[in-house]
Amino acid sequence: MTFADQPISEFLDDVASGQVTPSGGAVAAVGGAMGAALCEMVCIHTVGTDGSEAAADELSEVGDTLADRRERLLALADEDAATVDAVGAAIESGDDDRIQVASKRSTEVPLETAEVCLDVVEHARTVTAKGTPVAVPDAAVGALLAAAALQASVATVRANLDMIDDESFVAAMKQRADEAEAAGKAALDEAVANAER
């Protein structure tokens, strides 16, 4: 069963258990998906109101993009859990090459999660600027959730890089993580400012 098909209470019970997964990366991805869903909701409410046709068209497209990001983040939650399990199995095997391959994957998945969450926060700027005013606070909450998931994912990337010997890979991943983090902060500030106007 995928996390997308699992009741939320069961997912949270699994998180708050002695199991290794789902852990931080999967939880961050699910949190980012929740943020995307909130922003998507505001798009839907705005398209159904008597506002500007141009804004409605734009938010209809943004809503479709957010739906895609929500689905990708839920898939990344599953990928993260599989990656964590693979790292554990590699360490248990004692095979250094296998450990390195699994460790690289354990940074690639949370980095993709961070970058998808960044896309959600960047779209939240549009949603908070053009959404129907009564629903804009929900988009701000969505932006905050996606930004928190981005930060959490970047933290996971940085922690997992310690296991990797490939210096060029580590440098490239650090740079992408830093860029996602900086862009996420800027986009979040704008989305929150829009919501407070």
Side-chain angles (χ1 to χ4, degrees):
M1 175 186 292
T2 66
F3 293 136
D5 296 326
Q6 192 176 26
I8 192 166
S9 60
E10 187 178 307
F11 174 76
L12 294 175
D13 283 345
D14 287 346
V15 172
S17 75
Q19 299 175 178
V20 176
T21 57
S23 54
V27 171
V30 170
M34 290 181 175
L38 276 170
C39 293
E40 186 184 347
M41 177 194 75
V42 176
C43 292
I44 291 166
H45 283 289
T46 303
V47 170
T49 63
D50 294 329
S52 142
E53 187 175 325
D57 287 346
E58 183 176 6
L59 288 183
S60 179
E61 288 182 19
V62 169
D64 290 344
T65 299
L66 288 164
D68 290 342
R69 301 305 179 264
R70 172 169 49 93
E71 289 177 13
R72 182 61 191 137
L73 285 163
L74 289 176
L76 282 164
D78 291 315
E79 289 180 33
D80 186 87
T83 299
V84 171
D85 290 339
V87 169
I91 291 170
E92 196 171 303
S93 76
D95 182 332
D96 286 341
D97 289 340
R98 187 175 167 191
I99 292 168
Q100 287 301 302
V101 169
S103 296
K104 284 183 175 181
R105 188 68 185 140
S106 79
T107 64
E108 290 167 341
V109 172
L111 182 58
E112 184 180 349
T113 300
E115 291 172 341
V116 175
C117 286
L118 170 60
D119 198 46
V120 172
V121 180
E122 288 178 334
H123 280 88
R125 293 180 303 185
T126 303
V127 180
T128 54
K130 300 184 177 182
T132 188
V134 70
V136 162
D138 293 303
V141 172
L144 288 160
L145 284 171
L150 188 164
Q151 286 286 106
S153 298
V154 165
T156 299
V157 169
R158 289 179 178 142
N160 291 349
L161 286 173
D162 290 341
M163 299 184 291
I164 298 168
D165 298 333
D166 183 340
E167 291 181 8
S168 62
F169 178 89
V170 169
M173 297 296 276
K174 279 183 179 175
Q175 181 176 347
R176 285 174 60 188
D178 290 347
E179 288 170 356
E181 183 177 47
K185 286 178 181 176
L188 179 62
D189 288 347
E190 187 177 334
V192 170
N194 288 342
E196 291 174 348
R197 284 190 309 207

